[in-house]
Amino acid sequence: MKPLFPEELLADIPPMPALPPAASARIADFLSEMERQAATFVGYPCAQDFDYSEITPLLRYSLNNVGDPFGESIYRQNTFAFEREVVAFFQKHLRAPAGETWGYTTAGGTEGNLYGLYLARELYPNGMVYYSEHTHYSAAKIVRVLGARSIMIRGREDGEIDYDDLRETLKIHRDVPPIILANIGTTMHGAIDDLGKIRAMLKELAIARYYIHADAALSGMILPWVADPQPFGFDAGIDSIAVSGHKFIGSPMPCGVALARRTHVDRVARSVEYVGCMDTTIAGSRNALSPLILWSAIQRRGEAGLRARAVECFSLADRAIAKFKAAGIYAWRHKNSNTVVFPRPGPEVLARWQIAPSRDIAHIITMPHVTRAMIDAVVADVATSLHQPKGT
Ligand SMILES: Cc1ncc(COP(=O)(O)O)c(C=O)c1O
């Protein structure tokens, strides 16, 4: 039989019913509401300075990146080719030795953390997971999911792990391999655990079998662009790393990239006939649009654009700190971080500016979409709240 053209094969697909007018109006209202919300979006580390409308025509296809992006899948409506380029970009900038790591695009930083700790647990089934009290809440959930043993280590007031507590705790449990979840940018303080110190500690305690996973949700795509980064990548001895894609790079949907040493990944890879490729990822069906979005951001901005964006974020953070200072409020940030920490204001300020507090502190994160006008307004609101006489 003569092969048919795609148009002939697709001719009978029924069109989708039109959106009823009331539903259209609802979407229009929602869009206006999102525009309003965007004007006060200063509390989360998610960039919102993007427009990926080039992918809109692709919303007509059931794209799915099921399986290993480095394999060939029977399911060909995938964006594996783009995903591989995104992974290569992250490998380069997270300083992975050529050919020694593997990676994929995840649903976000949490999945990347789950992936890293899963590989660690497979390598060391009786390993003990250590993480500081400033670690993102996903860590505690992940150790429960994995059924892994874990110990929470004290955190310093500035957000870094308490190295003395880590050393003492490691000493007590020298019989089991440590699996250390190091923060490369904590959620609340933007603090970076010192990988050099942690590795020196392991050496000093003569612990040879260990695993280090780096949670670099935000800072993993900031540190590659700064002149003097704290140790953060594979060159600093990590085994795996999780970075969110919707944070510094920016994406309309949550996404991320997980990278790990290939030898660890090989231990978990299974061949699956149903999709015709290796099952190396946590999720089966995976978002195929997010690799396109990350790829588009990389194409549009390039390394130079991302570097310039990081510089802008720091300069805005310094401006915020100066404004807070002028208002009589002590605010600060870590080196190479755009998380500006200040005393916790009243609930009305937190709600207005979408700010998540923790104990007696709050933060704003000067992401690329945050404007000077937003900073000035938020500082004024915080100052009014903090300078209010108690009890009013
Ligand atoms: C340090 C850190 N790790 C992990 C996560 C989780 O990332 P995601 O929201 O992409 O799952 C976050 C989110 O804010 C974070 O700040």
Side-chain angles (χ1 to χ4, degrees), residues 45 107-111 113 136 138 183 185-187 215 217 244 246-247 255:
T110 301
E111 185 183 333
N113 284 344
H136 185 256
S138 60
N183 284 307
T186 58
T187 307
D215 177 358
S244 297
H246 57 287
K247 292 201 166 105
C255 59

Side-chain angles (χ1 to χ4, degrees), residues 32-50:
S32 306
E33 174 60 16
M34 287 305 103
E35 263 163 29
R36 268 196 300 281
Q37 295 297 342
T40 56
F41 192 47
V42 299
Y44 286 92
C46 305
Q48 204 163 228
D49 59 332
F50 52 76

Side-chain angles (χ1 to χ4, degrees), residues 156 158 160-168 170 180 182 184 192-207 210 212 230-232 235-238 334:
R156 293 192 333 202
D158 69 355
E160 270 185 61
I161 196 165
D162 181 325
Y163 301 96
D164 296 332
D165 193 29
L166 178 61
R167 181 185 290 102
E168 290 315 305
L170 283 169
I180 296 177
I184 302 300
I192 295 177
D193 295 336
D194 187 332
L195 290 171
K197 252 188 205 164
I198 291 171
R199 285 176 70 210
M201 195 182 291
L202 293 164
K203 188 156 186 238
E204 177 199 319
L205 294 171
I207 297 173
Y210 61 84
I212 300 178
Q230 294 91 327
F232 68 99
D235 59 338
I238 60 167
H334 277 287

Side-chain angles (χ1 to χ4, degrees), residues 117 120-121 124 127-131 177-181 210-212:
L117 294 183
R121 206 274 320 266
Y124 298 126
M128 179 77 81
V129 180
Y130 299 87
Y131 58 93
I179 298 169
I180 296 177
L181 190 156
Y210 61 84
Y211 187 107
I212 300 178

Side-chain angles (χ1 to χ4, degrees), residues 32 46 59 108 133 148 215 238 259 277 330 363 378 390:
S32 306
C46 305
L59 296 181
E133 62 178 303
D215 177 358
I238 60 167
L259 300 182
C277 60
Y330 175 61
H363 65 206
V378 82
K390 291 262 182 294

Side-chain angles (χ1 to χ4, degrees), residues 287-306:
N287 191 329
L289 294 176
S290 52
L292 274 179
I293 282 165
L294 297 177
W295 184 87
S296 171
I298 293 165
Q299 297 300 313
R300 283 166 176 267
R301 301 192 192 283
E303 293 170 17
L306 291 168

